[in-house]
Amino acid sequence: MNVVGLRSPQQLSFTTSRSECPYCLKTLQWKDIIPILSFTLLKGKCRYCGVRISSLYPIMEIITGMLFVYCYIIIGIQFELFLALALVSMFVIVLVSDITYMIIPNKVLLFFLPIFVVFRIIDPLTPWWDTITGGVAGILIPMSIIIVSKGGMGGGDMKLFGLIGIVLGFKKLCFCFFLSCVIGAIIGIFLIALKLGRRNQPIPFAPYIIAASLITYFYGDSLILWYSNFYHIPFN
Ligand SMILES: [Zn+2]
């Protein structure tokens, strides 16, 4: 996931070319690229030149592993598990790419689009057309924000919401959108308060979308119920 997220925005191949140290350019061996283990055994340094390896690698490897296990714990062995693992895989790739380059590669989204569509045909939401309304809302809601705020949100974020809508359906997509703005606003205020960020400075939004999506995917039903009861909104 790391490799795809780091290479696809630079138009580099991740299927044919071998991994190399970005500093000494030495081609890495199998024992240098075992997730988490290699980083730990090499004490975070390149085996050949000793330069520090970015901690992004072990962090993303741990997050990926934990999310995969979490999907299994929550869903169990069901068809939906494959969809959850595909969703997490896409999120890790997008996360790496967005925090590194502030780009969500179209290639990655286009790869996952048919996968989610096929999964939702085999294992549809109720009603089945919820996938379509969710996907359309996922495009239209961010698009309206982009138009009104003249680019306050990226086109990549909009396409990502479209894919999330296909998986979640209309109601959960709306909740996920709302939740991502809440998380983004809270963290944004903290960053400004701690003088780590400035107003009007662009920040990668995908981390908040991904956090909100995973929360909604796993706990959306009970959260929406709680929220609508709290405000006496008659959902459904
Ligand atoms: Zn090196």
Side-chain angles (χ1 to χ4, degrees), residues 21 24 46 49:
C21 168
C24 67
C46 171
C49 69

Side-chain angles (χ1 to χ4, degrees), residues 3-4 6-17 20 101 107:
V3 166
V4 178
L6 289 172
R7 291 192 196 171
S8 44
Q10 295 188 305
Q11 311 299 331
L12 297 170
S13 166
F14 49 82
T15 48
T16 49
S17 62
E20 58 185 24
Y101 310 106
K107 232 192 293 185

Side-chain angles (χ1 to χ4, degrees), residues 40-123:
T40 314
L41 292 176
L42 293 168
K43 298 191 178 69
K45 288 181 183 130
C46 171
R47 185 192 300 276
Y48 310 99
C49 69
V51 83
R52 274 182 60 91
I53 303 167
S54 165
S55 47
L56 182 73
Y57 291 95
I59 291 170
M60 296 314 294
E61 286 160 4
I62 290 169
I63 289 176
T64 309
M66 282 170 44
L67 284 174
F68 268 49
V69 172
Y70 197 71
C71 289
Y72 167 73
I73 292 170
I74 297 284
I75 298 168
I77 301 291
Q78 284 191 62
F79 184 76
E80 182 74 20
L81 180 63
F82 295 105
L83 188 144
L85 296 182
L87 190 68
V88 166
S89 305
M90 179 183 78
F91 283 162
V92 175
I93 296 169
V94 167
L95 190 61
V96 170
S97 176
D98 201 40
I99 54 184
T100 312
Y101 310 106
M102 295 240 321
I103 288 173
I104 300 177
N106 280 329
K107 232 192 293 185
V108 173
L109 300 181
L110 284 172
F111 174 83
F112 282 97
L113 173 65
I115 294 178
F116 294 146
V117 169
V118 168
F119 273 129
R120 276 292 173 247
I121 290 171
I122 298 170
D123 187 13

Side-chain angles (χ1 to χ4, degrees), residues 107-150:
K107 232 192 293 185
V108 173
L109 300 181
L110 284 172
F111 174 83
F112 282 97
L113 173 65
I115 294 178
F116 294 146
V117 169
V118 168
F119 273 129
R120 276 292 173 247
I121 290 171
I122 298 170
D123 187 13
L125 297 167
T126 29
W128 64 268
W129 40 263
D130 202 18
T131 288
I132 300 169
T133 46
V136 171
I139 296 290
L140 290 183
I141 298 172
M143 189 187 276
S144 58
I145 302 279
I146 292 171
I147 293 169
V148 170
S149 67
K150 298 188 179 71

